[in-house]
Amino acid sequence: MSGDWPQTSVTGSNYLKGVLARELGAVVGFDNVTDDPEARQSAAADWSWQSKFMTYRGLEQPAADFVVRPRTTAEVERVVQIANDHVIPIVPRGGGSGTQGGTLAPYGGIALDLSRMTDIVEIDAESLIVTCQAGIDGPTLEAALNEQGLTLAHYPGSYHLGASIGGFVAARGSGVVSTKYGKAENQVLQLEAVLPPGRTLTTLRVPSHAAGPDLLQTLVGSEGTLGVITQLAMRIDPLPARREFLAFSFPDIFAGMEAGRLIMTSRLRPATIRLYDEADSVKLQEWVGTPFTGTLMVIMCDGSDELVAYETRAITELAEKAGGTSQGSEVGRIWWEGKYEPYAKGKLPQPPLMYGTFDQVARFSDLPAIYRAKKEVIEREFREYGARYTAHLSHWYDWGSMLYDRFYVDAPPEDPEEAMELHDRLWDAGITAGLANGGVLNDHHGVGIKLGRFMRPQLGVGFELLRELKDAWDPNGIMNPGKLGFGPPRGPRL
């Protein structure tokens, strides 16, 4: 047991904490249970603006009562049993790189830290499938695969911020080459998860089957509200033999959207398409060094020499048809080599700056109206605060794309309550404008606690059905309560 908690919490009002500490310590080892305030705050923190703002202002974040670090699925199963028996919340934590307050613990309980669950169970080179524990981070897994000429091909912005494979799947995460290789939800083939009251579910070995509803995709994107993902089998790919880069400028963002639409509806499969509006291309130049500002599209194709040659030629024709002007290959190469620079220390937005990333996803036919509506509402309704709006489109599908759009307020109110209120009003305005014009709430950052209030207006009767599913699988409401718009746990706080 870390710290002095067992000696100071075994009598009086802390008696239950002492009981739980000893029960949990007997399962995971006493060195892997702590109520140390710093550890609890660290387990609660993520990369959301709210969390960063509270840290910046020296405010205490909503944290669990103690942190538990299991090593195996069997240990997770026993922890869930204990928590369910006592009706104590469980907040799963991977790398803490989320942006939606998913690791905040407004009802206390157990922060279940999966960072010790890092085994690579199997690399099946014949089927191109890797099986691993949920706590392993992306770079560690990728390095092991690269040694065998393989890749997971999942490179999110959080890649070097500790993001775990379980987190990729739990939040339907996406990476820079998702246009070709898919999001985490497309790459996961099988998973193991612990559900209340402490039982382990293993989904079928393959996802494409006619054997009833798919339990795999029920847990994908559930953000720990139905159970704890402990192990995953992920599709992998051979490392590409060649990468080729293209870049185009356009008269405006809408011409670039049309170029992206033509490329995707022609069923070409570039690994990456990034389309930046004028404001975002300025940021890209400042952070990465791309030698162009204006509406910029960067494209990367990979694979065999023959495939890459065909795709780059066909894509160039379509981009030019939409009004694009080639900027050569070097712009794209600079972008690729510097793609993590925006996430480097000192470059990510930080308080006191106020910011938020919407990343709504929509059909091609809806994207122009969503961009116009959100830019107008942010910059018009919040003009007194100097609010700015920037956007790029970074993940493309057969049917549409997503807007990775942000608001910025350089000088938000000093008062914490006023700042939080302004932050939420900006989110309300932007999300509402997107939903009203055909957008879907979120593409790949998840919902967490930050966007939970939008789940009902987004889903309608579907939200009630989801809540009924939650109640059936987790009747005590202990699994990550308060997230995805779900309410508190049934039991009292510690």
Side-chain angles (χ1 to χ4, degrees):
M1 174 72 65
S2 299
D4 297 326
W5 183 30
Q7 287 73 41
T8 59
S9 304
V10 296
T11 62
S13 61
N14 288 322
Y15 176 76
L16 179 57
K17 285 187 178 181
V19 169
L20 286 168
R22 291 187 292 278
E23 286 190 39
L24 294 166
V27 173
V28 302
F30 290 99
D31 287 341
N32 294 304
V33 180
T34 184
D35 76 332
D36 174 71
E38 186 175 342
R40 292 166 51 236
Q41 286 293 301
S42 179
D46 70 355
W47 282 82
S48 65
W49 178 84
Q50 300 100 312
S51 179
K52 293 297 181 184
F53 178 71
M54 285 185 276
T55 299
Y56 169 73
R57 294 301 298 268
L59 303 172
E60 188 172 287
Q61 302 191 51
D65 296 283
F66 42 94
V67 181
V68 177
R69 301 173 65 235
R71 180 68 184 85
T72 66
T73 297
E75 290 181 1
V76 173
E77 184 176 285
R78 188 72 189 101
V79 169
V80 173
Q81 288 170 355
I82 292 169
N84 194 72
D85 288 345
H86 291 281
V87 196
I88 302 300
I90 289 182
V91 181
R93 179 184 176 86
S97 61
T99 61
Q100 313 294 53
T103 53
L104 295 176
Y107 307 106
I110 298 167
L112 195 66
D113 180 352
L114 303 181
S115 60
R116 295 175 65 224
M117 299 183 66
T118 58
D119 288 353
I120 298 175
V121 178
E122 179 189 30
I123 298 176
D124 179 356
E126 183 176 6
S127 304
L128 288 179
I129 299 171
V130 62
T131 303
C132 60
Q133 287 186 299
I136 192 170
D137 64 60
T140 300
L141 180 59
E142 185 71 9
L145 293 171
N146 289 174
E147 289 178 0
Q148 300 190 31
L150 303 169
T151 177
L152 180 63
H154 191 88
Y155 314 121
S158 57
Y159 191 66
H160 292 296
L161 302 178
S164 67
I165 306 303
F168 291 169
V169 172
R172 296 189 181 272
S174 194
V176 297
V177 294
S178 68
T179 299
K180 178 174 182 176
Y181 294 95
K183 296 172 61 180
E185 65 201 64
N186 310 117
Q187 295 175 305
V188 63
L189 305 178
Q190 182 184 31
L191 62 74
E192 176 182 88
V194 177
L195 284 59
R199 52 188 176 179
T200 299
L201 166 70
T202 303
T203 64
L204 299 179
R205 282 177 63 81
V206 294
S208 298
H209 55 76
D214 189 0
L215 290 172
L216 169 67
Q217 288 297 328
T218 302
L219 286 159
V220 171
S222 61
E223 300 186 31
T225 62
L226 299 177
V228 183
I229 297 173
T230 57
Q231 184 170 294
L232 308 103
M234 306 289 290
R235 189 201 74 219
I236 52 180
D237 286 274
L239 282 168
R242 177 184 172 189
R243 291 189 176 112
E244 192 68 36
F245 300 91
L246 301 169
F248 301 92
S249 60
F250 291 91
D252 55 40
I253 191 73
F254 308 109
M257 289 178 183
E258 175 63 7
R261 186 192 72 82
L262 291 174
I263 292 166
M264 297 306 297
T265 57
S266 295
R267 301 307 186 236
L268 296 163
R269 277 295 177 272
T272 298
I273 304 177
R274 291 272 174 140
L275 174 63
Y276 297 85
D277 71 2
E278 290 87 347
D280 243 11
S281 74
V282 171
K283 288 193 301 182
L284 191 67
Q285 185 181 64
E286 293 172 351
W287 290 351
V288 179
T290 47
F292 177 83
T293 58
T295 300
L296 173 66
M297 177 179 280
V298 175
I299 296 174
M300 189 269 281
C301 298
D302 68 7
S304 67
D305 288 342
E306 294 81 6
L307 175 62
V308 170
Y310 167 75
E311 284 190 327
T312 53
R313 183 171 61 251
I315 287 170
T316 297
E317 292 176 1
L318 293 172
E320 291 176 346
K321 179 180 179 181
T325 301
S326 175
Q327 298 296 315
S329 63
E330 190 60 20
V331 176
R333 191 176 306 279
I334 291 170
W335 172 84
W336 176 259
E337 292 175 354
K339 60 185 178 294
Y340 292 121
E341 277 301 305
Y343 305 92
K345 186 176 181 180
K347 292 186 177 179
L348 273 173
Q350 297 282 351
L353 175 72
M354 181 180 289
Y355 54 89
T357 305
F358 297 116
D359 86 298
Q360 288 181 292
V361 61
R363 297 181 182 183
F364 288 121
S365 57
D366 296 323
L367 286 169
I370 293 171
Y371 177 88
R372 289 188 178 98
K374 293 173 79 173
K375 184 175 178 64
E376 179 183 4
V377 74
I378 294 298
E379 296 186 348
R380 175 175 52 81
E381 292 192 11
F382 299 91
R383 183 180 295 117
E384 64 179 297
Y385 299 101
R388 296 176 285 115
Y389 175 88
T390 72
H392 63 267
L393 291 83
S394 51
H395 306 278
W396 297 73
Y397 306 96
D398 292 343
W399 38 262
S401 184
M402 57 80 67
L403 276 169
Y404 193 108
D405 48 347
R406 273 187 180 152
F407 64 78
Y408 297 92
V409 175
D410 294 316
E414 286 291 325
D415 179 76
E417 291 294 333
E418 290 183 24
M420 288 285 192
E421 188 267 344
L422 174 60
H423 175 266
D424 286 355
R425 283 201 292 126
L426 281 156
W427 273 96
D428 288 345
I431 291 293
T432 300
L435 296 182
N437 285 278
V440 171
L441 182 59
N442 195 273
D443 178 76
H444 63 267
H445 285 148
V447 174
I449 197 168
K450 184 168 75 177
L451 303 185
R453 65 187 181 278
F454 301 111
M455 287 290 281
R456 187 187 299 276
Q458 170 76 91
L459 296 175
V461 69
F463 180 72
E464 297 303 325
L465 294 173
L466 280 181
R467 194 161 66 173
E468 290 172 9
L469 174 64
K470 163 78 168 171
D471 290 343
W473 285 26
D474 179 22
N476 286 326
I478 66 168
M479 299 308 305
N480 214 4
K483 315 301 164 53
L484 288 182
F486 299 135
R490 301 292 190 269
R493 293 187 60 180
L494 287 173

